[in-house]
Amino acid sequence: MDCSIAVVSLIVLIVSLALFPVFIPGGYAVIASIILFIVIMTAGGFYMSGALPVKK
């Protein structure tokens, strides 16, 4: 599970690095992509640790 979260967040990082400069200036796009990557990795860590409630 942790590997799949890492792979998905890496794919999101690569896609956001490619697409964000279309919408916002270059430097801000890189920072926004890195922040999005960190948020996804943090959410994945919380999900794996059981800190986030999961609806079943």
Side-chain angles (χ1 to χ4, degrees):
M1 178 155 227
D2 56 343
C3 290
S4 61
I5 291 171
V7 168
V8 167
S9 59
L10 183 63
I11 290 171
V12 169
L13 175 67
I14 292 169
V15 169
S16 65
L17 282 172
L19 294 180
F20 279 1
V22 173
F23 304 109
I24 54 179
Y28 295 117
V30 172
I31 292 171
S33 297
I34 292 171
I35 290 172
L36 180 64
F37 174 75
I38 292 170
V39 167
I40 291 173
M41 289 293 287
T42 303
F46 281 138
Y47 176 76
M48 285 185 358
S49 71
L52 292 178
V54 179
K55 294 181 181 179
K56 290 186 179 182

